[in-house]
Amino acid sequence: ATLWHRELGGLCRYPKYTGRNNGGWGPGPHFTLMVTRHFIRTRQRAMADRYLRWVLAVAYKDLLPEHLATKEQVDAFVIDARHAGTLRKDHWIAVRNARQLPPYRNKGVAYVSLPLGWPHAEFIRTWGLYKKTFLD
């Protein structure tokens, strides 16, 4: 419950911690899928379905990001990093790319580092286990 993002859903990598952001703090499909596998292995299908549905719902054109963040979280990250002098070029590129996507403009949700290989690999592993456990 501590890592569940109340506004966006999904699990965050770590509790919100000022100064430890990368393009805004928020939930990631990668970590949500890792916990989904726990629910699959323990045969808690309702929880596995909840987490898996969240991942599928946040996929953008079948692509998964490193994490999601609200527009406000991204803007706060940029302001803080600029003020501290820690806004690296790779962070700025991730922020700029997230701001160019329709979900940012239309819904105020940033897809940071889209696509990223890790969540896709986790999805493949998780879906295979889900099918084997609940559908075969």
Side-chain angles (χ1 to χ4, degrees):
T2 302
L3 296 177
W4 188 261
H5 196 283
R6 292 182 184 171
E7 187 173 352
L8 298 174
L11 290 174
C12 298
R13 182 176 184 177
Y14 46 82
K16 189 170 184 178
Y17 177 79
T18 302
R20 192 185 191 291
N21 291 328
N22 184 7
W25 174 80
H30 177 90
F31 304 102
T32 304
L33 287 162
M34 291 171 72
V35 175
T36 303
R37 280 199 311 280
H38 161 75
F39 290 127
I40 295 167
R41 287 186 185 109
T42 58
R43 297 195 178 272
Q44 297 180 60
R45 187 170 183 175
M47 289 300 290
D49 286 349
R50 175 184 180 200
Y51 281 46
L52 191 56
R53 276 192 202 107
W54 178 84
V55 172
L56 294 171
V58 300
Y60 177 73
K61 295 187 176 184
D62 297 329
L63 300 175
L64 296 172
E66 189 273 328
H67 74 276
L68 304 170
T70 65
K71 180 184 184 302
E72 294 78 17
Q73 291 166 338
V74 171
D75 293 345
F77 164 76
V78 171
I79 290 167
D80 290 346
R82 277 188 176 150
H83 180 70
T86 59
L87 186 59
R88 299 185 336 224
K89 184 178 179 181
D90 59 324
H91 289 165
W92 180 243
I93 290 169
V95 166
R96 187 183 68 223
N97 290 342
R99 286 177 169 169
Q100 291 174 355
L101 292 171
Y104 188 85
R105 294 190 310 269
N106 301 334
K107 298 178 184 177
V109 178
Y111 281 63
V112 180
S113 299
L114 177 79
L116 190 71
W118 292 348
H120 291 89
E122 291 296 336
F123 180 81
I124 291 165
R125 294 178 66 211
T126 304
W127 180 244
L129 183 60
Y130 186 94
K131 281 178 45 179
K132 179 180 175 186
T133 304
F134 297 126
L135 304 178
D136 287 347

